[in-house]
Amino acid sequence: MNTIFKRFGLGLTTVLVFQFARDGLMAASFTDITQPPNAVEVVLADKVVELSSGNHGQWSGDGVEVTVRTNLAEVVSLKAPGVPVKKVHLHWATTFDTNVIFLGDTWERAYGDLQWKPIDLTGPMPWYFLVSNGVVTHGYGVMIGPSALCCWKVDRHDIDLWADVRSGGVGVELANRTLTVCTICARQGQAGENAFAAACAFCRQMCLQPRVARQPVYGFNDWYCAYGANRAAAFLKDAAYIASLSPTIQNQPYMVIDDGWQANRQGGNDRSNPWKYTNAKFGSTMPEVAKAIKAMNARPGLWYRPLQAWPDCPANWRLTGRSEVLDPSNPEVLKDISQNVERFRDWGFEMIKHDFSTFEITGRWGNGMGDEVTSDGWAFSDRSRTTAEIVLSLYRTLREAAGDEVLLNGCNTMSHLSAGIFDLARIG
């Protein structure tokens, strides 16, 4: 038997559904966060402003307007002409049962930290989270591809969404543009499904157009034996051995040359773009290496670090204050990245593993971010777009240059921004 209670207050509708499973346990209560929040505030450069609720889902104050449009999902938008905004905070009142546990996502790859936790140990949960009492599992999150770096926090009576809309480490300057911050979604668990099935269903709900590899991807990557001290002869020997153990007709293995092949690596002193050539350890040209891999009935792959600056790259391509990193908000940088990927494709490589971009943009690894993805104070050359928008632009540039036939493998990339764009990811 189902008993439904509705509690109304400050624009919030909380639906508590109590359903008794066959074993007599009570199902976890569900809060419909696709309904309007209790409160909205924004973080500006020098203060936090609690916005006032108005008509048609609008919240406003101090020159900032947040609109929450509710349908099957909840679309959050931001207008702030002349006011740099750092974060948007939405709050829902709720009551979590004492026996529930939580599983949150991570900003980028996992670091052995994905686990079910009691509420007092959850901490910040990027992108989405699941809550379960062992009978029913509910999902709360945002759709993929948001224009903000979104993070959830919970306690016994609260659900909070923090949307980081900074451009780098400063408030985004939207001028007259309206920013679609994110689309909030939730899924009420169903009786009889296990937590894994509920998680899969909710991920399908958050990502309506996933990009799925046509066949299982497997093979060899020489980082895990050479660690950057690689050379063509050794790689081809190892790759040939792996290929000899693998089926070669229906689904050939990928053989990925990791860090170490590029021009300025392993003793090379080339000061120009290192991705145009190879070094003495790969004495053959890279098209010849790719051809040799294909001759062993395997698919060649190549490692790429798109945001690493080289000595002679233009000064205005670099991030201010971090000269070793290219600025992905600069259109010239994206054009160069596109040309590099097109070159790899023309050389004959069928997979590109691209690496380090999250660390180079934010200055932090995912396991050190918490609820602050990056430090305050630094900025891209383009302050009119959020970090999430700039990262999405980088990812889409990689995808367009790779085409549909080349697989993109993201390493140290943000999962909720790369979903639907990359074919696979190194997750841990």
Side-chain angles (χ1 to χ4, degrees), residues 136-299:
V136 173
T137 301
H138 305 312
Y140 303 88
V142 298
M143 300 289 283
I144 66 162
S147 296
L149 304 177
C150 298
C151 178
W152 298 88
K153 295 182 180 180
V154 297
D155 60 30
R156 191 64 63 192
H157 300 290
D158 303 284
I159 297 177
D160 293 280
L161 171 62
W162 289 88
D164 187 338
V165 295
R166 288 179 295 172
S167 182
V170 299
V172 65
E173 299 174 7
L174 295 174
N176 293 321
R177 181 166 72 99
T178 298
L179 177 72
T180 300
V181 176
C182 63
T183 299
I184 297 168
C185 57
R187 180 183 183 273
Q188 184 173 351
Q190 301 175 7
E193 66 180 0
N194 60 34
F196 182 72
C200 290
F202 187 50
C203 286
R204 286 192 294 268
Q205 181 178 329
M206 290 187 291
C207 182
L208 299 179
Q209 293 182 308
R211 186 177 180 91
V212 181
R214 292 179 295 275
Q215 294 176 300
V217 177
Y218 72 104
F220 168 64
N221 181 304
D222 73 344
W223 178 257
Y224 304 100
C225 58
Y227 296 99
N230 51 3
R231 64 187 191 276
F235 176 85
L236 292 173
K237 180 180 178 180
D238 291 339
Y241 176 70
I242 298 297
S244 73
L245 303 176
S246 306
T248 58
I249 306 235
Q250 293 83 8
N251 187 13
Q252 297 176 348
Y254 288 86
M255 304 299 174
V256 180
I257 305 169
D258 212 283
D259 184 18
W261 68 268
Q262 62 271 37
N264 62 358
R265 197 74 159 87
Q266 301 198 73
N269 57 6
D270 195 325
R271 297 179 58 84
S272 62
N273 183 345
W275 311 110
K276 290 184 177 181
Y277 312 103
T278 185
N279 57 58
K281 300 291 180 67
F282 285 80
S284 301
T285 66
M286 295 309 285
E288 290 176 347
V289 175
K291 185 178 179 180
I293 295 170
K294 291 180 180 180
M296 57 181 76
N297 292 315
R299 295 163 171 161

Side-chain angles (χ1 to χ4, degrees), residues 42 44 51 58-67 69 76-85 88 172-181:
V42 292
L44 307 182
L51 304 185
Q58 293 178 339
W59 302 70
S60 59
D62 278 35
V64 178
E65 180 179 286
V66 173
T67 303
R69 302 287 187 201
V76 181
S77 59
L78 170 67
K79 293 177 67 175
V83 182
V85 181
V88 178
V172 65
E173 299 174 7
L174 295 174
N176 293 321
R177 181 166 72 99
T178 298
L179 177 72
T180 300
V181 176

Side-chain angles (χ1 to χ4, degrees), residues 273 275-276 338-348:
N273 183 345
W275 311 110
K276 290 184 177 181
S338 179
Q339 290 172 343
N340 289 334
V341 173
E342 290 171 356
R343 184 181 309 110
F344 304 155
R345 187 185 66 194
D346 292 343
W347 285 349

